[in-house]
Amino acid sequence: MNPIYAKRRRNDIVIRLLCLGAAAFGVTWLGLILFTLFYNGLAGMSLQIFTQNTPPPGSTEGGLLNAIVGSAIMTAIGVGIGAPLGLFAGTYLAEYGRHDTLSSVIRVINDIPLSAPSIINGLFSYRAG
């Protein structure tokens, strides 16, 4: 075997082992974190969490019913507003709007949410509201 290829092969094996070690290191910590999360989290799970409202400050009894219902309501409102708008905008762009000004505006407005991660959009929506 050519000595250049032998050196490349050794380097490849070393780099692969380093990558495998780094991946194993990361997955091990992820597994430990998930184990701790589930071990401590499942101990606190009860029917009370889903059936009672959030307790006042200083109280230890209560649940997350109002947060769950609020999230469901916000999701339903968002889907109720966004789905028809998206359907109508997509239909307009596909059938009627080829190169007019409204089509360009719709495409720009559509590209804005796609260019930022959803967590950033949620943060600014929360701060603005």
Side-chain angles (χ1 to χ4, degrees), residues 89 92-93 99-113:
Y92 175 78
L93 289 175
H99 302 290
D100 61 342
T101 306
L102 183 59
S103 297
S104 299
V105 170
I106 291 173
R107 286 188 182 97
V108 168
I109 291 173
N110 187 38
D111 287 340
I112 290 171

Side-chain angles (χ1 to χ4, degrees), residues 5 8 21 27 42 44 48 52 58 61 66 69 73 78 86 97 114 117 123:
Y5 294 125
R8 286 183 181 177
V27 169
L42 289 177
Q48 174 182 348
Q52 293 184 1
E61 299 296 322
N66 55 347
V69 171
I73 290 171
L114 296 175
L123 175 68

Side-chain angles (χ1 to χ4, degrees), residues 26-95:
V27 169
T28 300
W29 281 106
L30 175 65
L32 288 171
I33 290 169
L34 287 174
F35 172 75
T36 303
L37 176 75
F38 283 116
Y39 182 76
N40 293 330
L42 289 177
M45 292 295 288
S46 67
L47 187 62
Q48 174 182 348
I49 290 176
F50 301 104
T51 59
Q52 293 184 1
N53 286 330
T54 305
S59 176
T60 58
E61 299 296 322
L64 299 172
L65 180 64
N66 55 347
I68 294 169
V69 171
S71 295
I73 290 171
M74 287 174 48
T75 302
I77 290 171
V79 169
I81 293 171
L85 283 176
L87 185 69
F88 294 149
T91 303
Y92 175 78
L93 289 175
E95 298 294 331

